[in-house]
Amino acid sequence: MKKYTEISDIIQLSKTIEEAIELKKNPFQFSDIGKHKTLVMLFFNSSLRTRLSTEKAAKNLGMDVSILNVNDAWDLEFEDGTIMNVNKSEHVKEAAQVISQYADLIAIRAFPSLTDKEKDNSELVLKSFEKYATVPIVNMESATAHPLQALADVITIKELKSTSKPKVVLSWAPHPNALPHAVANSFIEMMQNLEVDFSITHPKGYELDSNITKNIEINYNQEEALKNADFVYVKNWSSYSDYGKVVSEDRNWMLTKEKLGSAKFMHCLPVRRNIVVEDAVLDSENSVVIQQANNRTFAAQIVLKKILENS
């Protein structure tokens, strides 16, 4: 693996999932592979699970870790040909090359604006670092994708599934704020690479990018979609057509224990209790969100390990 900015960077997905599960049994078995190597983590947005799990994963491999909250330090310029006479003091062209001298890998987290669809889809921050850095790049969530989360999700499903082809449903849920599409996008892409019975349910107006959903079944009736599900992944996202807008806050789409039935409940966290999902679900044995969060470490660790092996 030369980098991990998108799911397609994983060459053998099933094998990688199995290797991550094995790694989980003995996290320190490759503690020398990262010796004298440094991971630099750049956060353009705040993080809890991604930050801690990726740092832990790197340290499990013997790596040193440097963390920089970029927007607290300085504003980078990403546009070419700009006259930098306002507030931005450094261009990504120099920054990426300089950081590459201090790092063996660079991991980046940069959210979308949710105001400019074209710019968000261009993945300006991530692609700029890919272009100008001279070391491998890892995506810790970008404007349109969260491949580390998606890898943790499929590790969780693999550990818990009881049938060879489980029924997996991605369900939209209400939220007071406009949220990105990244988690949903990557989960959908990951499901397209697995042997699962997969569908999406959401209210009309919340259709995601058709280039990502492709031929996946979309059901506008949540209760019907969730019948006999083995896994229900709940996530809010804002409108894609009316870009970045909250077009509905229908509380009837909150996931309840009755709707969930015997399925496993999944969510990337953080989650708003009794808005996205009721307490009775989160506090039940059917909730696997803590196991899912724990798997973030081993998703990151297997990715870092494969990149280190390649380099």
Side-chain angles (χ1 to χ4, degrees):
M1 186 183 291
K2 296 181 179 179
K3 63 179 180 68
Y4 190 55
T5 59
E6 53 192 353
I7 290 168
S8 60
D9 289 325
I10 301 176
I11 306 302
Q12 296 177 295
L13 179 57
S14 294
K15 184 180 178 182
T16 300
I17 294 168
E18 293 287 355
E19 289 176 351
I21 293 171
E22 283 301 308
L23 191 62
K24 186 175 179 180
K25 297 174 183 177
N26 183 4
F28 305 109
Q29 59 186 300
F30 301 104
S31 58
D32 289 335
I33 196 173
K35 190 175 181 180
H36 304 310
K37 302 285 187 181
T38 300
L39 171 68
V40 171
M41 301 167 66
L42 304 178
F43 289 92
F44 292 83
N45 300 94
S46 61
S47 173
L48 190 157
R49 275 152 295 276
T50 299
R51 179 169 181 163
L52 293 176
S53 62
T54 307
E55 181 179 4
K56 182 178 180 181
K59 290 180 176 179
N60 284 352
L61 296 171
M63 299 188 77
D64 293 318
V65 181
S66 296
I67 299 173
L68 183 62
N69 296 319
V70 177
N71 287 343
D72 293 341
W74 80 103
D75 286 328
L76 282 178
E77 178 60 69
F78 289 92
E79 302 290 348
D80 287 334
T82 55
I83 298 172
M84 294 171 58
N85 62 350
V86 188
N87 64 323
K88 296 181 179 179
S89 59
E90 184 159 7
H91 200 283
V92 68
K93 287 184 179 181
E94 289 77 51
Q97 293 178 75
V98 169
I99 294 168
S100 297
Q101 295 179 92
Y102 308 146
D104 297 282
L105 287 86
I106 299 173
I108 298 166
R109 183 177 178 92
F111 290 172
S113 66
L114 289 180
T115 57
D116 187 331
K117 183 191 287 188
E118 183 178 351
K119 189 172 183 178
D120 288 346
N121 283 341
S122 75
E123 292 283 13
L124 181 63
V125 175
L126 188 69
K127 295 294 184 183
S128 293
F129 273 92
E130 279 193 83
K131 183 176 181 179
Y132 297 115
T134 57
V135 299
I137 301 297
V138 175
N139 181 352
M140 297 191 296
E141 187 172 1
S142 63
T144 67
H146 199 346
L148 281 177
Q149 178 66 56
L151 183 53
D153 297 337
V154 297
I155 291 168
T156 308
I157 290 173
K158 174 68 175 180
E159 289 179 319
L160 295 172
K161 71 176 186 176
S162 57
T163 62
S164 59
K165 189 176 181 180
K167 180 178 178 179
V168 181
V169 182
L170 172 64
S171 176
W172 179 92
H175 197 285
N177 300 327
L179 297 186
H181 310 97
V183 170
N185 287 345
S186 289
F187 186 71
I188 291 166
E189 185 178 351
M190 192 64 86
M191 290 301 101
Q192 290 171 329
N193 288 283
L194 294 179
E195 188 68 19
V196 293
D197 176 8
F198 180 62
S199 63
I200 305 170
T201 183
H202 58 71
K204 290 184 178 180
Y206 279 105
E207 291 77 10
L208 291 157
D209 184 352
S210 60
N211 292 317
I212 293 171
T213 56
K214 297 176 184 176
N215 297 318
I216 294 170
E217 177 189 349
I218 297 173
N219 192 330
Y220 298 110
N221 184 320
Q222 186 190 37
E223 292 190 28
E224 181 182 284
L226 298 184
K227 285 180 181 177
N228 302 315
D230 296 296
F231 295 91
V232 176
Y233 198 122
V234 174
K235 184 71 180 80
N236 174 270
W237 58 85
S238 55
S239 175
Y240 185 75
S241 57
D242 192 5
Y243 191 66
K245 299 294 190 296
V246 176
V247 296
S248 170
E249 292 185 58
D250 189 348
R251 293 290 299 274
N252 291 320
W253 278 77
M254 179 182 73
L255 188 69
T256 64
K257 196 169 184 179
E258 183 180 1
K259 292 179 189 176
L260 182 67
S262 61
K264 301 294 186 185
F265 169 72
M266 301 180 70
H267 192 283
C268 61
L269 301 181
V271 63
R272 295 204 178 204
R273 284 175 174 262
N274 303 308
I275 296 291
V276 172
V277 55
E278 68 176 1
D279 285 340
V281 171
L282 266 176
D283 297 332
S284 74
E285 292 182 355
N286 290 52
S287 176
V288 299
V289 296
I290 303 304
Q291 180 173 340
Q292 195 179 348
N294 185 43
N295 283 334
R296 289 297 309 277
T297 295
F298 307 104
Q301 192 170 340
I302 196 64
V303 164
L304 295 175
K305 176 180 175 287
K306 287 184 174 293
I307 294 173
L308 288 168
E309 287 172 337
N310 185 71
S311 59

